Amino acid sequence: MSILSDLSDRLLPGMGFDPALDAALDLVERAGFTSVIYDYTPVPRSHDGVLITPNILEARRVPDDMMRLWRDGFYQLDPVQDAALSSAAPFVWSAFGPQSRIMETVLCERHGPVLGYMRDMRFSCGVTVPIHHPGGDLATFTAICVDAERDFGEAAARLAPAIGLLGQTFHDIVQTGFSPDTRRSRAMRLSPREIQCLSLCAEGLTAKEIARRLDRSVPTVTLHLNSAGRKLGARNRFQAVARAAHYRLLGAAS
């Protein structure tokens, strides 16, 4: 049975995350895959270009230590995630043998630890679906085959469009249940008052004008702006505003 023949019956609007991921696993297993991984991050990279560990990172039928390793730093070394940022279409990858064009473009020595782990775990082949939001959010849905037959890569390439539709359908269903905190970057935390002051600064207000707007003293506003700048590693207020915008913090105070 094909992946798509049962898609509308197995993945239903309003499903919870866990039942939906279980259903997605069942669908990819019918096509010969063994595992699925899904992740979501509202801001994929830090202001200095480092991959940010996703707010959601969940899997089915992967090694027991995999999610812990990825949360502890392997995510930042994952070539599949680098490729997902550069692609709008599903792509095939492998821990062994030839790679798809997009993977060849990003692979470098830095990815060695992750590739070594994938080889050790016999991740023969995978199809990853990048899901880009207009606001910059990134989700990926990945189907993996462990110990695949030699010619499975060719089959995976033919299945990539179907995996793409499955991944997008899964994401569309589960993302409706994301909380505001899930949709907010956790890589940088500012206090509500710091966000408020930076947001007004972004509108062009001086510290004196912000103080008047918030009915606070100028030294208090300056304290909040300087504190936000330190947390963001900014050299000045202009850079602080730019970095706060990068993390989508401006206007985020409740």
Side-chain angles (χ1 to χ4, degrees):
M1 188 176 294
S2 73
I3 292 173
L4 301 182
S5 62
D6 242 5
L7 179 59
S8 60
D9 292 328
R10 295 303 313 278
L11 283 174
L12 305 173
M15 288 183 77
F17 186 93
D18 288 335
L21 195 57
D22 291 338
L25 173 64
D26 180 64
L27 288 166
V28 301
E29 283 181 328
R30 300 179 187 190
F33 294 91
T34 59
S35 316
V36 292
I37 301 175
Y38 171 82
D39 62 73
Y40 165 79
T41 179
V43 180
R45 289 190 187 274
S46 67
H47 61 270
D48 52 1
V50 177
L51 283 167
I52 295 173
T53 302
N55 289 1
I56 296 176
L57 179 57
E58 297 293 340
R60 294 291 186 272
R61 303 257 176 95
V62 300
D64 292 341
D65 64 346
M66 183 175 179
M67 292 298 94
R68 176 182 59 78
L69 287 170
W70 257 246
R71 291 188 180 99
D72 288 348
F74 267 34
Y75 185 86
Q76 284 68 37
L77 307 176
D78 190 340
V80 175
Q81 296 303 325
D82 282 330
L85 278 167
S86 305
S87 177
F91 59 90
V92 179
W93 53 266
S94 175
F96 308 93
Q99 296 286 357
S100 59
R101 182 191 59 80
I102 185 65
M103 287 293 289
E104 289 178 345
T105 300
V106 303
L107 276 172
C108 65
E109 185 177 349
R110 177 173 63 85
H111 300 126
V114 165
L115 287 175
Y117 178 89
M118 293 164 75
R119 293 186 187 112
D120 289 344
M121 297 300 106
R122 307 186 308 281
F123 285 7
S124 308
C125 185
V127 175
T128 292
V129 183
I131 304 165
H132 296 271
H133 283 232
D137 315 45
L138 174 68
T140 65
F141 177 91
T142 298
I144 298 172
C145 185
V146 176
D147 284 334
E149 298 294 332
R150 184 177 296 273
D151 61 351
F152 187 78
E154 297 176 4
R158 293 193 298 271
L159 288 166
I163 298 291
L165 181 57
L166 167 58
Q168 183 68 62
T169 301
F170 171 85
H171 174 75
D172 289 345
I173 288 171
V174 301
Q175 64 91 23
T176 60
F178 289 175
S179 68
D181 185 63
T182 297
R183 297 180 186 276
R184 187 177 301 126
S185 177
R186 298 171 185 168
M188 190 64 61
R189 296 284 194 178
L190 300 182
S191 73
R193 188 64 78 185
E194 289 166 351
I195 292 172
Q196 190 176 35
C197 289
L198 270 183
S199 297
L200 291 172
C201 187
E203 293 179 15
L205 274 66
T206 64
K208 186 175 181 179
E209 291 168 331
I210 294 171
R212 188 179 303 118
R213 176 81 64 89
L214 300 180
D215 193 23
R216 294 291 187 274
S217 70
V218 173
T220 296
V221 168
T222 301
L223 179 67
H224 290 310
L225 290 171
N226 290 346
S227 175
R230 284 194 299 273
K231 291 178 182 178
L232 291 161
R235 293 190 298 271
N236 52 52
R237 288 180 190 171
F238 296 107
Q239 191 174 62
V241 167
R243 290 187 177 178
H246 173 83
Y247 292 107
R248 293 163 60 186
L249 293 171
L250 298 181
S254 54

